[in-house]
Structures are given as C-alpha cells and as structure tokens.
Amino acid sequence: MRRQVWTGSAGLEAADAVFELMRRLIDDFRSGPPVTPLVVLQAEEEDPTGLLDRRVEKVVEFVHQSQLPRGLLGKRLEGGGGPDAYSSAIDMVRQLCEHSWDNQRQSQYKPFTFPRSRLLRAIEQAAPEVGAEEPTVWTAAQRRERLMRRLAELRWRPAGGADGVGGRRALALAETVGSVVNPSGFAGALFIACLSVLLGEGGWRTAVWGGALALLAFGLAHLLARSAPPLLWLRRASRWFATTTFLAPLSDRPEAADWSRWRPAKSWETIRGRAFAVAQQVAAAQAGDPTARQFHVELRVLALLEDLRHNFRPLTFDLRRRKRTVPPVVYLPRATEEDGGLLLLRSISNVRSRRSEVDPLLVLAAVPAAERLRPPGAAADPAATPVTGLGSDEEQAHGADARYQRWVTNLNVGQSPGRAAALPWILRIPLSTEELRHRHSAQHSTTRIRRTAAWLLWSRPCLAVVLALALGAGFLGNRWLARHYCEGRLLGSNTDSVRYDGQCIGVATGDVRLARGNRLSLFGVGKHITFDAVEQAIRAENAAIGPKEPHVTIVYAGPVTAADPADTRKGLEEITGVYLYQHYANVSTDQPTKIKVLLANAGENMLHVLPMARHIADLARRDRSVVGVVGMGRDTTETEAAARILKRAGLPVVSTTNSGSHLARRLSNWFGLAATDEEEADALLVLARQLAAREHGAQAAVLSRTVGSEKDFYTTEQARVGRSMLVEAGFTLAPARTYRLSSQGEPELTTPVGAVCASRTVPKAVYFAGRVEDVPNLMAQLGSTPGCSGRRITVFTGDDLTKSAYDEGENLRIPPELTLYHFSLAPMDLAAARGFYEDAHHTLTALLPAGSPAAPLADPARPWRDPLFSSGQTVLSYSATAVLYRAARNGDMPQTAAEAWADLRWHPNPNLPVGTVSFVGSRPYADQRGHGYEIMRVTYRDGRVRSESVCGRPAGSEERLTAPPGAPGADPHTVCRLN
C-alpha cells in the first residue's frame, strides 16, 4: 500500500467534488485521456461581501495543501504584482520558468528545465536595444546589429543574478562536469561506456589515461556548445525558435522553417531574423501596444508549454515520461483581470487551440463571480453561463466529474474556429451557494506519489554499473557479429550471409550489397554500366514488387566477389542476363506474377559454394516464394555436394555454363543449359578426325591444369574427355603434361610446354584442359619454345574460352602458325533472336550514368556479335532465368519450388536467344540432350585476333555434327570443315 502523507477536511461541501476531480486528473494522468484542462472554480452567485469568493479561494488552497506533501511538482501563483494585467501575466510566466517549483528536489524525477523560455528571456533583456525611441536615431539594420551584439554579450542566455562573472563561470564549469559524468545523459553514457571498454581491454592505466582524455574532450565539447555562440544553433531551443510556425508570420523569408543542423550560416540567419522581429514586438508591448502585448504573452506561454512537453517527452534516453506519472499543477487562488490571472488562462487556452498539441500542464484557478472568463466584447458561451443548481442528487455528487467528461467529449468541437469566442480548454466548475455555505465536509487523505521502477533502473549508481556492463558486452558482441556476418549487429543481425576470407558469402538480403563500389563495367554497348549499377537495378526491381503482389523468388548463385574486381566479370555478365529477364517479365511485358531476384555469392572461383548453398537452403525454408536457383556455372570439387544441399531443400538448379558430365547423372534436381564435357569432346572429334587423317601417325598431347586450392574439377574432366577424343580421332598420344599455378595465380607453363616441344615428333594437336586466363601464356609459350615455334599446331580446348574478350583489348597474341578451336555454349547466331538483343540494348541504356551517351550496337544486323553478348554468358543466364520462371508459374499464379521442379520436365521453352531449351522426356539421373553449342576457330591474321564459327547447332536440336560433305538434307551449320 502507498504511504499516507496527509489527512484533512476543507470544511466546505464544495471542496469534495473538486478534490476528487483533481485527484483523478493527477493519479490517472498516465491511463486517462491525454488532455489536462484549465479547471476554473467560480461561485454561481455574486456576493457583495466577498464571502463566497473567499470560500472558492479556500477550495483551491485546500487542494494545494492536500497535494503538497505527496511530492507533486506544483506552483502556487499569487498574481504577477505588475502595474497592469500584461505585466502581471508575463511575471507569472517568468515565475513558472525561473523560480523553483514545489517538491522539485523530492519529486519523481529531476527538476524541470526551460531552455525555450530562457532563450525568450534573453531576447527580452536585449529588447531595449530596439526600443520605441530608437527609430528616430538608428536605422533598422543598425538596431538589429545592436540587438545581435547585446545577445552575443549575453551569449543568448538571460543574465544571472548577483553572482557576477566569476559565479557564472563556476556554474558553467560545474554544469559541464556534471553533464559529462551524468550517466542519464548521452555524453555521460558514452563516457562511461568508453571507460568500461578501456578498462576491460587495456587495463587500469589505459582506462585512467583514456578516461581523462575522454573527460577533457567531452567537457570541452559541452562547454563550447554551451558557451560559444557559433555553436548555439545546435541547441533544441534554437531549433524550436527557428522552426516554430507560431513565428512564421514574422519571418522575413517565405520559408517557415529555414533551419538545418548542417548549414549553420543559413540557420543563424533565420534565428537572427526572428530574434529581431520578436524583440520589436517585445519593445512595442512594453510601450503599450495591445496587439504586441497579446503576442508577447502568448509567445511566452507557448515556450512554457513546449518546455513542459519536452520535459514529458516519451522517446528519450532517460525515460523521463515513465518516471513522471503525474502532471505539473499550477494553483491560482485568485485570478482576475487586474492581476493578470485571467489573461494567463486565456493565453494558455488560445495557444493550445492554435497549436492543437497536448501538454501536461494542469491548472486549478479560482475566479471571482463578477469576473468574465472571456475577453471584453466577446459573445457569451451558453454552455458556460452560470447555472442555479446541478440537478439531481447524483449529479450534485458527481457534478465536477460529469462536467469534465462532457468537456473531454466536446473539446474537438470547442476548438473549432466558428466558436472563437469560447475558451475550449477551460473547464468551468460553478459552485453553488448552498455548497459554499454548507460547512460539512468529508475527510480526505492523500498518499505519496510513488517513483516508478524506471527511477531505480536509471538511478546514477545503478545506471553506471548496468550501462557499463551492457555497453561493454554489447560492444564486444557487436564487434564479433560485424566480423562474422555481412550485416552483423547486436540487434537484428542478418544471418543470410557471412564473411569468408574477406568476402561476403551467402545470400544478399536486407541491406547487404555484394557489388557495392564495384566499378567493373560491361563490354560493348554496356560500357559505363557497372556491376554496382546492375545490382542496384535488381534491387530496384525487387522493391517495386508490392508486399501482396504475386511473385516468385529466383536466386542467382555464382562468383560475385573477388580480390580483384576484374575477376568478377563472369558474375557481372550472368547477373546482367538475370536482370534483363527480370525487367522483361516485370516491366516490359508486365506479367501478373513478378520475379524477385536474390544474389548468392560463392566467392572468387566459387571456392565457397558449400556455405553459399547452406544459406540458400535456409532462406528457402523461411521464404516459400523461392522456387529455384540459377547459375552454379563453375564445376568444382564441391559442386555436387552443394547441389545435394539444395536438393534436400527442394530447390531445382538451372545451370548456365557448368559443363560437368556427372551432375545430371547423379542429381535429379540438376538442369543444365550447357553442353557437357563429353558432348564437347564428341563435337570436337569431327574436326580432330579430319586433322588426324592428313598425316598418318600424327601425335597429340594433353596439357591440363592440376587441381589445387582452386578446387577446379572442370580441368580434370576436360583432360579425361580430351584424351579419349584424341585417341578416338586416330592420334598417337604423347605423354600427358600438367601445370600448376604460382602463388600469384600465374600458370607455370614453361616446363610442361618445353617437354611437349622437345619430343622427337612435335605433336600436331594439343588438347588444353585449362582456364581462359591461362591461354595467352600458352600461346606465347608455343610460339616461342624451340620445337614448336614456326610449326603448324592445332590447339583444342573446352568452353571456358568463351569468357574471353580479346576484341576489348585483352592481351592475346596467337602465332600465325597456330589455330585454336574452342567450344561456345551459346549458339547465338544460329538462334538469331534479334528482338532479345534490341530489347536488352534498350533496357541497359537506362542504366547508364547521367550524361553518358548510349553506344550503338557494333553490327545491328548481327547484334550477338557485340562484345556485350559475345561471351554467351548473358544470354545463357537470361535463358536459364526464363526457363525457371516459366516452370514456376501456372498461368497467372505462382507455383512452389516442388511444382516448378516437376514442370521443368514438362514444358519446352522456345524462342530463347540460344534456341529451344527443353527437358521434356529427360529422365532423372540420366544424360540430358538437346544442348546447343558452336565450335569457334580463333586465329591471328592482319594484326588482330579473329574468331569465326565453324559449325554448331541451336538448343533443342539433337542432330550430330558431321564432316564435309555431310549427310543429304543436313543442316549446313552441323557440317564441320577443318581450316
């Protein structure tokens, strides 16, 4: 139970209802309506002897005395004591802002602060510089300069009392030290947190020195912010003064809130202009101008109410709104026109109605029966005219409470402009003569206002300990999370991606950006379109999908990051293809089912494909809109295990450039658009046989890269199928040679190429089972090594060379005697889907930076020859996305991942840039047929690298390649002629 602190009786029956109303307004402040009235008590009848008015005053005093021991923050005003109502009202406002309130040291929380009122007080003290006698001597600019100079002397704060300069300096120093070591403030909390971290990590010596330096730095910053005029625009009071619409009509600029924390000159100009306008109004008010006086009183009341609102603001670090559970109460035992009390009440009501904002101030005032609550000349409000009685006994018992309920109900209408003569915030309680004369009254008691649990939590000792421990643990935890996750923080870490070897591995969700700052740009017509821009375009497409709009989510999985941004070109070109189809479906054709694309990164050379697959699987279990994965275009020793993880999550994989022969045989969820290594070897066999037939017993060699830390399984498979192909073609195999990569990633080809060229019979053909980045070194070695130099040698290789871009300046010199045949997985000139390339050109042009000219296609008749598309990676990822999207919807409705998986083997996909992609009829755990491809011949003539198509077939065709002259009626593209 609460501790009882007061018991008594007023000796008047009229006090009972008023006491209960005030008790309810105070105790139910947190749970009741968020409005506090100006309660005005007034006798119903005038009494020439003044007895009834004195008893009404006694009721106010009774309520004051009963609430005072509770610890309630209150203030009793006797009237301003000025020569007129204006001076008295201003003086009462100053009493509330500048003098101590009751119980302010024993209340629920610390005393109130009034920074806005203090700012206006400083302007009032400087207002004589623009007084009424000055215009005849000084110009407006000179008076403004005098005002600014005086405010600068005052440091925009009201002058102190008799303490003098030394006292003010000591007070400023004490406030500075107090603000720094006070844990309930931001600076104090930060200081304690830093001290705790230093003590935990660096020992007590480091903590002492660090704490001393931090105390000095924080103290200096606080002292400057408090005392230096150039920094005063950052104060809340200055911001309020510059932005309040109450002063907008006085502004010399059209902007009502011309203030910015980042533009001090602009902010200061606004503050100075408003200060000069307010000072002019204050000077006019002191000279007797009634309009200026009304403005001055209402401005001071506005500042008072805004300060009180700030003292009860809910969203603060010190939880002041939870600590202050009762409103501040002002008592006016006698409010008349002469003493300024009625002017103060009217001003509070006017300001509240004008601002339409709720403040916590509760007022209890007694008004003589002869006084009018409205200004002279205002029409009477019938709802507030005196009445002779309160009606029934029940209404008499609860008359004050019933009036309060009606007042709350009618408050909105009461503030309407059509009722301008009314004072809507005044709750008038008429007290009948019988109640005032009846001396019987009940006994009342009050209890101590409790401090909430928030006070204990935020008390200085407790706060210092808890804050230090919490911030220390939070700092260390946040530091670990930030190092482990790509978007790691103490609260709300994004666990869809983690950091491996400095790279962000996993799925980019939330605010994670994989290509942030990557300035690598596309080739050809995509020049100046960076990786960063493509990723942002995908995010913009995702953001344009409404939360309830039907959509499917497709995850692109590939190498998005690398130590050198130049090594992310494969990821860039594939992601560009994914984006092109996303834009085509979402915008160009406006499909009912939209595509959301998420990027998943396996790191450079897809070395972290396993953790990436786990993150994709985890995401798919949470997000049922994920229907499958596109990409997985590099065959590593972990690709099969990663695809099995996705299989267990129910996700199909539509691969782009992965040519692993074993994947479709071992995985039921693998759907590859690329011809397998065995298909590539079978196609190159047509050319190899023609070459072997020219010279009986011709030799050939296989040169392959060994599998090392790069986990490259592609080269192992290429070496296997290349060896079988050369034997079947009729070559005599020389000993196979292997090469490794140096610590810098360069191929060490000198020794193996030297061994090949040193053979008694130099091979006519070399099958190179390596990567595209190793080809320039191979060509240089074959052209310069004795035994091979000057001899005609044909080099066969797989599909990795399609990633090259020698037309864009990449360094490649092929000796005239050498001919290079490589595989292309995207037979673009056989499908000849011109519409795709034109649409892609138009879509990508929109991603160009502002001011960058749009480049035309190099060959509009054959746009697939443009360097943007020549590698085939963009069209393959576009086609893969299209295949998965078409399987993931049933008409206009999205399907689940399981349904998409099943539909991949059900419907063909014609009219794609690579032809017709179809898995219809293909069985799980068996080879998939119908892949499209081309064989390309690369030579060096007339000072440049030349690449031309030898033969091939579009996707969807199963016709085998043949040597000239070919079968009757055969497609001429499937007839392969050796150079």
Side-chain angles (χ1 to χ4, degrees), residues 9-16 51-52 54-56 58-59 433-443:
S9 171
L12 290 173
E13 185 179 348
D16 295 342
L51 174 64
L52 297 182
R54 288 193 297 274
R55 290 191 173 179
V56 173
K58 184 178 179 181
V59 172
T433 303
E434 180 182 356
E435 289 178 314
L436 292 172
R437 292 186 181 279
H438 193 194
R439 303 292 294 177
H440 174 74
S441 175
Q443 285 286 110

Side-chain angles (χ1 to χ4, degrees), residues 2 22-31 36 67 70-74 101-103 106-109 112 308 311-312 320-329 360-362 447-452:
R2 296 188 183 182
M22 292 299 293
R23 183 196 59 77
R24 200 182 95 156
L25 290 176
I26 293 170
D27 293 347
D28 296 347
F29 176 66
R30 291 182 63 179
S31 59
T36 51
Q67 297 296 328
R70 304 187 64 194
L72 179 72
L73 278 168
W101 287 56
D102 299 336
N103 298 314
Q106 291 82 34
S107 63
Q108 292 177 300
Y109 192 39
F112 292 142
L308 289 175
N311 282 283
F312 280 78
R320 62 187 64 169
R321 184 63 182 85
R322 284 188 168 274
K323 296 177 181 181
R324 292 177 172 141
T325 61
V326 293
V329 184
L361 182 62
L362 176 62
T447 58
R448 178 75 182 178
I449 296 175
R450 286 183 177 178
R451 288 176 172 172
T452 63

Side-chain angles (χ1 to χ4, degrees), residues 158-180:
D163 295 335
V165 176
R168 289 198 299 271
R169 288 179 177 175
L171 180 61
L173 182 61
E175 290 182 358
T176 299
V177 175
S179 69
V180 174

Side-chain angles (χ1 to χ4, degrees), residues 395-418:
E395 188 173 356
Q396 289 182 9
H398 304 283
D401 185 71
R403 285 180 175 273
Y404 169 69
Q405 296 297 337
R406 288 198 300 271
W407 174 83
V408 172
T409 304
N410 298 329
L411 183 59
N412 288 337
V413 177
Q415 295 184 91
S416 302

Side-chain angles (χ1 to χ4, degrees), residues 10 27 42 70 106 184 244 324 339 462 569 729 742 755 789 835 842 961 964:
D27 293 347
Q42 192 174 29
R70 304 187 64 194
Q106 291 82 34
S184 62
T244 177
R324 292 177 172 141
D339 67 7
C462 180
R569 180 160 302 281
S742 68
S789 178
H842 175 73
L961 301 184

Side-chain angles (χ1 to χ4, degrees), residues 634 702-706 712 714-719 737 739 741 747 749 767-775 778 795-801 803:
R634 186 180 179 95
V702 176
L703 179 61
S704 62
R705 182 201 280 191
T706 58
D712 189 6
Y714 165 82
T715 55
T716 300
E717 283 291 284
Q718 283 288 309
R737 307 293 178 180
Y739 68 95
L741 299 180
L749 286 166
Y767 196 96
F768 181 65
R771 287 291 182 177
V772 59
E773 56 267 24
D774 305 337
V775 172
L778 172 66
V795 178
F796 297 102
T797 187
D799 59 81
D800 202 55
L801 201 67
K803 295 188 294 185

